[in-house]
Amino acid sequence: MSATTAAPVWTKMRPKQGALSRLFDWKPFLAFVCLLPAVGLLMTFLTYPLGLGIWLAFTDTTIGREGIWVGLENFIWLMDDPIFWSAVFFSVFYTGVATIGKFALGLWLALLLNQHVPFKSMLRAIILLPWIVPTVLSAIAFWWIYDPQFSIISYLFVDVLGWRDQNIDFINTAWPARWSLIAANIWRGIPFVAITLLAGLQTIPPSLYEAALLDGASGWQRFRYITFPMLLPILAIVMTFSIIFTFTDFQLVYAITRGGPVNSTHLLATLAFQRGIQGGQLGEGAAIAVSMIPFLVFATLFSYYGLARRKWQQGEGND
Amino acid sequence: MATVSVRQALKSFGTTRILHGVDVEIADGEFVVLVGPSGCGKSTLLRMIAGLENISGGEIAIDGRVVNNVPPKDRDIAMVFQNYALYPHMTVRQNMAFSMKLAKAPADIMEAEVQRAAKILGLDALLDRYPRQLSGGQRQRVAMGRAIVRHPQVFLFDEPLSNLDAKLRVQMRSEIRELQQRLGTTTIYVTHDQIEAMTMADQIVVMNGGRIEQSGAPLALYDKPANLFVAGFIGSPAMNLLPGTVTDRGFRIPSGTLLPLPPHAPANAATYGIRPEHMSLSEDGVEGTIVLVEPTGSETQVTLRFGETVLTGAFRERVQGRPGDKLRVLPDLDLVHLFGPDGARLPS
Ligand SMILES: Nc1ncnc2c1ncn2[C@@H]1O[C@H](COP(=O)(O)OP(=O)(O)O)[C@@H](O)[C@H]1O
Ligand SMILES: [Mg+2]
C-alpha cells in the first residue's frame, strides 16, 4: 500500500495593509504624530503665554477691559518712570552681586566636598537642604530672621552677645533691605551651584592632578591651571542658568519685602506683578516683563559664546 | 641619572597589606621592568617611588637620598601614566612646557626644550594640536615628551603601552627602549606583559601578591626561574609544569607516563617543567594524543594529552597530525626544570 500524502504547502501570506496602517508607515505623518504632544505642551504653556505677554505689552489692557493696540506707548511711559529704572538697577545689581556670592561660596564648598572630608555624604545632604525647601517657605523663614523685632540675629547680637544695644535694621531702609535680599538669594542659590560644580569637579580625572603634582604645581597652581579651565564649560552653563533664575526672581522679594521700603527693592518681576496684577494695568505690567527679555537673551548668548570658544573640547578640525 | 633603592617597602591601604616588604636595587642608567599579574602591587610600588602614595614602612632612596618624606615635585622624577594624563585643555606644546612654565623658565629655553623633545619624538608637526586631536600613539609620545623636557633623574612608566594596538605596541616598545639608551636615564617600567619585560629590561623584577618572586636579567629568569610562579610567568608560550613523582625509571605523571629525567635528578621533585620550545619530535619520545595543532608559520605549536595532563610543544618542523592522532615528543634533558613540593627550584 502506498499512501502518498501531499505535504502541506505553506505559503507566506502578506496581509493586506489597511489605509490607517499605511498612514502610520508614512514617515512624515509618524513624525508629526510623535511630536504632537511635545509641541502641544510647548505651545500651550510656553509660546502662548509668551506671545500673549508680548502682545499685551503693546496694548492698554487693564483687568476687566480689553485693550487696544497702543504701540510703544507703554515702553515710552516706562522710560520716564524712576521706579522702573530703579527696578532695572536693582535687578542687575541683585543678579550681579548674588551671582558672584553664589559662585564664590558654591565653588568653595564644591572644592571642599571634593576632598576627603569626614561625613562627606551627610554634608552633601545638608548642603542640598536650602534648595529642597520650597522657596516661599525659606522666604518666610528669612522674613522672620529679618523681622525688626523678633529677628534671631538681632537677638543673638543684642541679648546674647551684647555687641549691640539695639536691633539690627534689616529691611526697613533701602540699602540694608537690598543686601538682606541678596543674602537670602545667595543662601538659596548656593546648593545648586555647589552640587553642579561638584559634579563637574568629579569628572576631572585624578591622574591630571597627579601629573600636575609631578610637574611641580602647588595647590593654587593646580586650581588655576587644571581645575578652573576644566570646570569652565560647566561653570558657564551653571552661571547662565543661575543668572536667568536670579534675574527673574520673584518669590524671595515678594515674600520678604514686597518691593518695599518705598519701592527700593523691586525687581522687574515683582514690579511687573504689582503693576499688572495688583494695579490691574496688564499692559504696563506686561511691558515691564517684556523688558527683561533683552537681558535674558544677553545672558544666553554669553553662555553660548563662552562655551563655543573651547576648542579643546568639541569639534573636529583644528583650523 | 641616579640609583634607586627600595628597601623592605611596605604598603597598606587601611588594614589591607598590599606590599609585604619589597627590595629592589636599581643601578644608575638601568632599565628595570616591574612585571606581574594585575593587582600584584606594581603600580602601587611605582607610585610610592613617585611620591603619589605614602610609604607605610621601609625606605625608598633616590640617588642615595631617602625620599620617604620628600614631596613628588622634589624627587626629580617624571612619570608616564597609563592613560597618559595629558592636560586636555592645553596644546601639545603647552603640555610639554607646563613643568617649565611652573618653574618660571625663560620663554626661549622653554621653546628650545620643547623643540628638542618634539624632534626626538617626531612631534614637530603636532605642537599646536590638542590631545583629543591625536592618535593613541601620538598621545603616548606627548606623554613621553612631557617627561623628557624635564631631564629627570628617573623615568617612571606605568603600563604605557596597554592602550595601544598590538602593532603600535611593538613599535613603541623599541622606541622607548632606544630613547632610554640615548638619554641614559634610569627607568622603572611597569607592565603585566612578560614579553615587554623580556624585550626591554636590563633587569626584570617579577612580583606576585605584593612580594618579589625573583629579579634578575631577562635571560637569567628564563633559564633559571626560581620558582613555579616565575617559571609559569616568564616565557611564551608558557612552560609546561607537570605534577608527578620521581621514580628510578623517570618522572611519573598522573597518566602513568614516564618522562625522562636528567641524571642525578633530586628525588623530592614534585613538578616537572619543560618549555614548549625545548621539546623535539622523536621516535624515542613519549607518546601523547594530539588535541590541537596551531601552525604559526615559523613553527608549529602542538597540544598533547597524556590522560588528564596537557603538554604543549613548539616545533620548527611542520607537524602533519590531526586531533586524535598519536605523536611522540622528547624533552631536552639539559633544559628540564625541577621544582620541589614548596614550588622552589631544585638544583640539578
Ligand atoms: N587607593 C587604594 N585603596 C585601596 N586599595 C588599593 C588602592 N590602590 C590599589 N589598591 C589595591 O592594591 C592592590 C595592588 O594594586 P596595583 O598596585 O594597582 O596593582 P597592579 O599590579 O595591577 O598595578 C590591588 O589589590 C588594589 O585593589
Ligand atoms: Mg597597575
Side-chain angles (χ1 to χ4, degrees):
Chain A
M1 196 179 78
S2 68
T4 46
T5 22
V9 179
W10 182 73
T11 37
K12 194 175 168 197
M13 294 281 279
R14 240 187 112 74
K16 237 188 147 44
Q17 258 191 325
L20 193 64
S21 152
R22 271 207 310 279
L23 186 61
F24 273 96
D25 270 353
W26 188 45
K27 241 202 188 129
F29 178 77
L30 198 65
F32 173 75
V33 168
C34 291
L35 281 175
L36 207 55
V39 171
L41 281 174
L42 282 177
M43 289 298 236
T44 321
F45 295 109
L46 273 169
T47 317
Y48 172 69
L50 185 67
L52 184 64
I54 294 176
W55 160 253
L56 284 175
F58 294 94
T59 66
D60 64 353
T61 311
T62 56
I63 288 181
R65 180 173 65 86
E66 192 114 347
I68 52 156
W69 177 266
V70 293
L72 288 173
E73 193 172 299
N74 285 326
F75 294 95
I76 294 167
W77 258 99
L78 287 176
M79 284 292 165
D80 289 330
D81 179 354
I83 295 178
F84 170 75
W85 285 112
S86 140
V88 168
F89 161 76
F90 185 56
S91 292
V92 172
F93 183 76
Y94 180 81
T95 307
V97 176
T99 303
I100 292 171
K102 270 184 265 198
F103 276 78
L105 293 170
L107 181 59
W108 175 72
L109 262 180
L111 289 170
L112 205 70
L113 286 180
N114 200 32
Q115 313 274 323
H116 296 284
V117 285
F119 310 113
K120 190 144 96 179
S121 44
M122 206 168 78
L123 273 178
R124 282 184 197 178
I126 291 176
I127 281 178
L128 268 180
L129 275 181
W131 208 50
I132 298 168
V133 181
T135 313
V136 174
L137 278 190
S138 48
I140 289 172
F142 269 102
W143 189 38
W144 274 101
I145 289 173
Y146 293 155
D147 189 272
Q149 283 193 336
F150 305 109
S151 162
I152 185 164
I153 300 178
S154 292
Y155 171 75
L156 198 71
F157 278 84
V158 178
D159 297 332
V160 178
L161 295 169
W163 290 356
R164 292 175 60 101
D165 38 9
Q166 71 201 101
N167 279 3
I168 303 167
D169 158 34
F170 285 108
I171 50 174
N172 283 338
T173 40
W175 278 103
R178 289 177 179 145
W179 287 112
S180 299
L181 287 174
I182 288 171
N185 184 278
I186 290 177
W187 178 82
R188 220 188 121 67
I190 282 177
F192 175 67
V193 175
I195 295 297
T196 41
L197 292 189
L198 180 61
L201 284 176
Q202 286 172 342
T203 64
I204 304 177
S207 61
L208 292 188
Y209 291 110
E210 295 181 340
L213 203 63
L214 294 179
D215 274 342
S218 64
W220 161 250
Q221 285 169 326
R222 289 199 295 279
F223 175 79
R224 162 81 182 70
Y225 293 112
I226 311 289
T227 312
F228 188 70
M230 297 216 45
L231 205 56
L232 213 49
I234 191 159
L235 199 78
I237 294 184
V238 177
M239 193 174 275
T240 312
F241 272 94
S242 171
I243 288 175
I244 291 175
F245 290 149
T246 315
F247 196 81
T248 58
D249 194 11
F250 172 82
Q251 299 181 70
L252 270 181
V253 172
Y254 190 73
I256 299 175
T257 66
R258 298 201 180 225
V262 241
N263 294 324
S264 60
T265 59
H266 264 307
L267 295 171
L268 286 169
T270 53
L271 187 65
F273 182 76
Q274 195 189 46
R275 295 273 170 90
I277 307 297
Q278 293 176 322
Q281 305 291 329
L282 277 180
E284 192 183 336
I288 296 172
V290 164
S291 61
M292 287 198 274
I293 292 176
F295 293 98
L296 299 179
V297 169
F298 175 77
T300 315
L301 288 180
F302 167 80
S303 138
Y304 180 79
Y305 286 106
L307 286 176
R309 255 185 333 155
R310 256 154 282 286
K311 194 161 71 167
W312 57 271
Q313 234 189 350
Q314 60 237 356
E316 276 313 306
N318 190 27
D319 22 36
Chain B
M1 274 155 273
T3 59
V4 177
S5 311
V6 179
R7 300 184 203 109
Q8 281 301 307
L10 300 176
K11 178 69 190 178
S12 310
F13 287 112
T15 55
T16 323
R17 176 64 48 100
I18 302 294
L19 293 181
H20 311 265
V22 169
D23 288 287
V24 186
E25 281 298 326
I26 299 167
D28 188 11
E30 200 174 23
F31 195 112
V32 171
V33 175
L34 300 179
V35 66
S38 272
C40 71
K42 312 174 296 282
S43 298
T44 305
L45 179 56
L46 195 76
R47 292 165 55 81
M48 284 160 73
I49 296 171
L52 297 173
E53 299 282 357
N54 63 352
I55 300 165
S56 311
E59 214 173 65
I60 292 178
I62 298 175
D63 206 16
R65 175 173 71 132
V66 175
V67 293
N68 285 33
N69 295 314
V70 175
K73 68 183 165 75
D74 298 327
R75 293 189 184 196
D76 208 1
I77 42 135
M79 182 156 167
V80 174
F81 292 82
Q82 178 168 5
N83 63 1
Y84 316 136
L86 300 180
Y87 309 121
H89 55 293
M90 298 186 198
T91 61
V92 169
R93 174 182 276 109
Q94 290 166 333
N95 261 283
M96 295 209 277
F98 188 57
S99 61
M100 294 184 283
K101 178 176 170 181
L102 293 178
K104 303 208 162 41
D108 51 335
I109 292 188
M110 227 148 72
E111 183 60 20
E113 283 292 342
V114 169
Q115 291 294 347
R116 187 187 71 105
K119 195 142 288 148
I120 293 175
L121 295 163
L123 291 170
D124 312 59
L126 306 175
L127 285 177
D128 293 315
R129 294 224 192 154
Y130 286 99
R132 76 177 164 77
Q133 299 166 311
L134 302 176
S135 71
Q138 291 166 337
R139 283 177 205 180
Q140 167 67 57
R141 287 201 185 90
V142 176
M144 282 169 28
R146 206 165 60 175
I148 65 182
V149 293
R150 292 177 43 200
H151 302 283
Q153 302 239 34
V154 183
F155 282 139
L156 305 177
F157 290 88
D158 191 357
E159 311 221 8
L161 305 184
S162 54
N163 291 342
L164 304 181
D165 63 64
K167 194 166 170 210
L168 202 53
R169 203 146 55 203
V170 174
Q171 182 193 336
M172 288 306 293
R173 206 157 77 191
S174 45
E175 273 187 34
I176 292 180
R177 185 66 178 128
E178 253 172 55
L179 183 70
Q180 193 268 344
Q181 275 167 354
R182 170 130 61 120
L183 302 173
T185 309
T186 310
T187 300
I188 307 176
Y189 184 106
V190 162
T191 178
H192 63 265
D193 179 352
Q194 59 91 22
I195 298 189
E196 259 173 49
M198 291 295 284
T199 50
M200 298 174 84
D202 294 320
Q203 186 193 168
I204 295 182
V205 176
V206 182
M207 291 181 66
N208 184 30
R211 291 194 170 77
I212 290 184
E213 296 282 352
Q214 189 178 3
S215 61
L219 291 181
L221 300 197
Y222 179 85
D223 291 338
K224 290 206 160 30
N227 51 46
L228 283 176
F229 180 81
V230 178
F233 194 79
I234 297 289
S236 170
M239 185 189 287
N240 296 295
L241 295 166
L242 312 169
T245 48
V246 175
T247 69
D248 44 10
R249 287 175 300 137
F251 190 85
R252 182 203 292 274
I253 58 174
S255 65
T257 312
L258 289 165
L259 300 173
L261 276 171
H264 316 299
N268 62 340
T271 305
Y272 185 100
I274 182 71
R275 294 198 183 277
E277 57 271 35
H278 296 156
M279 285 192 287
S280 52
L281 300 171
S282 162
E283 282 310 308
D284 305 331
V286 290
E287 188 183 70
T289 311
I290 296 179
V291 180
L292 192 63
V293 179
E294 297 165 287
T296 64
S298 60
E299 58 173 33
T300 311
Q301 271 186 45
V302 183
T303 309
L304 297 171
R305 212 156 47 74
F306 297 84
E308 293 302 301
T309 314
V310 175
L311 184 79
T312 304
F315 310 102
R316 312 294 304 180
E317 301 89 339
R318 300 203 166 175
V319 179
Q320 295 302 343
R322 301 173 54 78
D325 293 353
K326 303 286 185 199
L327 190 71
R328 284 183 170 275
V329 296
L330 185 65
D332 183 340
L333 287 192
D334 293 337
L335 297 170
V336 168
H337 308 262
L338 294 172
F339 301 92
D342 59 351
R345 179 188 188 82
L346 296 173
S348 48

